[in-house]
Amino acid sequence: MDYLKVIGKKKLNGSVKISGAKNAALPLLASTILSSNSIKISNLPDVVDINTLLKLLEMLGSTYNKNNNILTIDSTTVDQTKATYDIVKTMRASILVLGPLLTRFGHCEVSLPGGCAIGQRPVDLHLKALEQMGATIEIKNGYIEAKAPQGLQGATIVFDKITVTGTENIVMAAALASGVTTIVNAAREPEVVQLCEVLQDAGLQIDGIGSNTLKIVGSNKKLLPFKDFKIIPDRIEAGTYLCAGAITNSILKVENVEPAHLEAVLSKLEEMGFSVLIEENNITLLPANKVKTVNIVTTEYPGFPTDMQAQFMALSTMADGVSIIDEKLFENRFMHVSELIRMGADITLNGTVATIKGTPKELYGADVMATDLRASSALVLAALVANGETNIHRIYHLDRGYDKLEEKLTNLGANITRDKEK
Ligand code: EPZ
């Protein structure tokens, strides 16, 4: 296993190119099961989760080849409909093959994704919606056994909670269903929007893209002629690097981004005293004279993203006063708190609310442990500004969602190296 060694207190400068969005690429790769042709996908991030889903698609019968970050994939050759536990347990987003497999083949078995560090992560809303579309769903030996021998029927689905992958699964299920599916209380994340746009470019009739109500006219099991496409920039990776600039109070530029996807994050950085210069596809962060406190409540897009909560908690240790962060989406997304405390942060938890007392708080290097993808990035941010050496262990969590993190940070001036555990 690898660990990252970071020597803190280095100013950053320069610019970093942001990769394609992992959380856009995952549903889009699953959606290739709906395609009648081979597709070229560019700007694919080189992260573990993408390689895991490609392995699953290959097990199902897809064929693909990658050169640099351009993927050519043909899923017309898919002829298996079982996503096994051994692969699903390594990445819960494998649940995204459920909708496409069921709507194309009329049956499939997908291992129930386990929970993960940040919460129980149920998929009940996905399953309830598919039943409303005519599927019979049984849970047997840890597998979701879904059947719809006559194909799926369009229905009106009202999600009790806004669910990103739930919306994506049902959009894909509706694509080949017969009749009209209306999704009420749909997620509006940019990653959901891109999935809808790619399906619309493939000839599917979808109304309401980007709103909370989507209306899809199914193709009645006819595979769709996909066009080639480019994955949108990763707004969370971009936000993470902006926080790296902010926590070290440096001038830092992120390139190849979509600033409109980062409005809530940019607004909080400005609230904390930083300035942001926005060009078409770049954002430059300018240092704060004094880092101010912040109050954050995580919510669905376009509100403040839960995937940026840990990073802002690390940043708020540098603020002059008390900041409050309320994590409303996941029941256990404070795993980074105990590790930040070990680095000298003053954070107290009360249910879903974290209180962070910055002074600006001096942090000091320590051995710390990554627990989940975004918590890990918060520990890297804290290490950049801590006195001395920090060793971050179990960084396989980081590798799931950050493309060449230490290379990008080194190019920005950080002292960060990857070593093998003894
Ligand atoms: C997606 O997860 C993202 N993953 C997560 O990013 C992100 O944190 C999350 O959306 C929220 O934005 C991908 O897109 C691959 P949800 P998802 O379904 O779809 C509850 C990262 O760091 N819920 O929107 O699994 C659920 O428990 C990852 O890249 C149900 O109760 O999240 C949660 O409280 C972490 N029943 C809330 O809804 C369901 O059937 C939102 O979950 C589904 C969800």
Side-chain angles (χ1 to χ4, degrees):
M1 278 210 275
D2 296 352
Y3 72 97
L4 286 178
K5 177 187 293 182
V6 182
I7 309 297
K9 290 278 182 228
K10 299 267 183 296
K11 280 277 183 204
L12 302 184
N13 63 44
S15 59
V16 56
K17 288 196 179 352
I18 297 302
S19 302
K22 159 181 89 83
N23 289 351
L26 291 169
L28 284 165
L29 286 173
S31 77
T32 62
I33 292 169
L34 308 171
S35 172
S36 59
N37 51 275
S38 168
I39 310 154
K40 266 193 184 35
I41 303 174
S42 55
N43 202 33
L44 200 68
D46 182 13
V47 295
V48 168
D49 274 8
I50 296 300
N51 297 327
T52 302
L53 187 54
L54 284 171
K55 198 167 136 213
L56 171 56
L57 288 169
E58 194 170 42
M59 280 166 65
L60 297 173
S62 289
T63 51
Y64 68 86
N65 65 61
K66 256 202 291 190
N67 71 325
N68 295 330
N69 64 0
I70 297 201
L71 175 84
T72 304
I73 182 166
D74 179 358
S75 294
T76 59
T77 47
V78 166
D79 58 3
Q80 303 298 313
T81 60
K82 180 168 186 175
T84 53
Y85 174 70
D86 58 323
I87 200 148
V88 174
K89 74 174 187 285
T90 64
M91 190 194 56
R92 8 178 0 278
S94 311
I95 192 73
L96 285 164
V97 302
L98 174 63
L101 288 175
L102 181 57
T103 200
R104 175 171 163 188
F105 295 102
H107 60 86
C108 65
E109 285 178 275
V110 177
S111 168
L112 260 180
C116 70
I118 65 177
Q120 190 233 333
R121 310 294 295 277
V123 291
D124 57 310
L125 300 178
H126 303 229
L127 304 183
K128 194 174 122 196
L130 290 172
E131 285 177 326
Q132 283 183 259
M133 296 174 75
T136 52
I137 306 271
E138 275 187 90
I139 308 292
K140 263 196 212 154
N141 313 337
Y143 279 81
I144 301 162
E145 292 197 3
K147 292 190 180 76
Q150 314 306 322
L152 292 174
Q153 316 297 323
T156 295
I157 310 293
V158 182
F159 276 126
D160 300 344
K161 278 176 142 177
I162 292 177
T163 160
V164 173
T165 49
T167 302
E168 291 162 346
N169 240 334
I170 300 311
V171 164
M172 293 188 281
L176 302 194
S178 65
V180 177
T181 299
T182 302
I183 304 174
V184 180
N185 207 19
R188 298 170 52 193
E189 273 68 2
E191 297 77 27
V192 178
V193 168
Q194 185 173 27
L195 173 67
C196 293
E197 287 172 343
V198 164
L199 290 171
Q200 191 174 59
D201 290 347
L204 197 68
Q205 190 186 324
I206 305 185
D207 297 322
I209 295 178
S211 80
N212 286 126
T213 303
L214 295 170
K215 194 169 153 199
I216 299 124
V217 181
S219 75
N220 201 5
K221 292 203 127 180
K222 198 166 72 59
L223 294 177
L224 303 169
F226 274 49
K227 295 203 176 73
D228 297 347
F229 56 86
K230 178 180 180 188
I231 304 289
I232 58 171
D234 191 320
R235 61 194 167 98
I236 305 301
E237 184 194 19
T240 304
Y241 283 100
L242 287 169
C243 284
I247 203 167
T248 55
N249 218 16
S250 313
I251 298 176
L252 188 145
K253 184 178 198 178
V254 290
E255 298 179 328
N256 299 351
V257 297
E258 178 47 76
H261 294 166
L262 280 149
E263 280 178 3
V265 170
L266 298 178
S267 148
K268 286 300 174 188
L269 286 170
E270 288 176 325
E271 203 176 301
M272 296 181 79
F274 300 95
S275 306
V276 288
L277 302 179
I278 294 179
E279 297 159 279
E280 199 185 339
N281 293 112
N282 306 323
I283 300 169
T284 302
L285 176 109
L286 300 176
N289 298 328
K290 187 171 75 105
V291 181
K292 296 179 197 144
T293 59
V294 71
N295 287 350
I296 285 171
V297 180
T298 64
T299 183
E300 294 86 3
Y301 191 88
F304 188 90
T306 173
D307 291 351
M308 285 300 303
Q309 176 259 108
Q311 298 92 315
F312 268 77
M313 189 178 293
L315 175 56
S316 62
T317 64
M318 295 294 117
D320 192 2
V322 176
S323 298
I324 306 285
I325 295 182
D326 190 352
E327 171 54 67
K328 291 283 191 201
L329 269 81
F330 290 111
E331 65 272 26
N332 189 32
R333 201 166 198 175
F334 283 145
M335 305 282 279
H336 41 287
V337 170
S338 49
E339 300 305 294
L340 290 172
I341 289 171
R342 297 183 63 248
M343 297 177 73
D346 180 347
I347 305 171
T348 50
L349 293 181
N350 180 357
T352 66
V353 178
T355 303
I356 305 102
K357 287 195 185 80
T359 46
K361 190 77 193 145
E362 277 295 292
L363 298 180
Y364 41 83
D367 277 282
V368 291
M369 192 163 74
T371 51
D372 59 272
L373 173 55
R374 307 304 174 185
S376 324
S377 65
L379 300 181
V380 173
L381 297 179
L384 291 175
V385 77
N387 280 306
E389 179 181 307
T390 299
N391 296 316
I392 303 165
H393 302 277
R394 299 194 183 180
I395 52 162
Y396 54 86
H397 292 289
L398 264 177
D399 297 336
R400 296 189 48 173
Y402 286 97
D403 189 353
K404 303 179 196 56
L405 176 117
E406 65 267 22
E407 188 183 312
K408 291 182 177 180
L409 282 174
T410 300
N411 293 341
L412 287 167
N415 183 334
I416 177 170
T417 51
R418 178 185 288 249
D419 288 317
K420 286 267 174 248
E421 299 284 10
K422 303 278 179 292

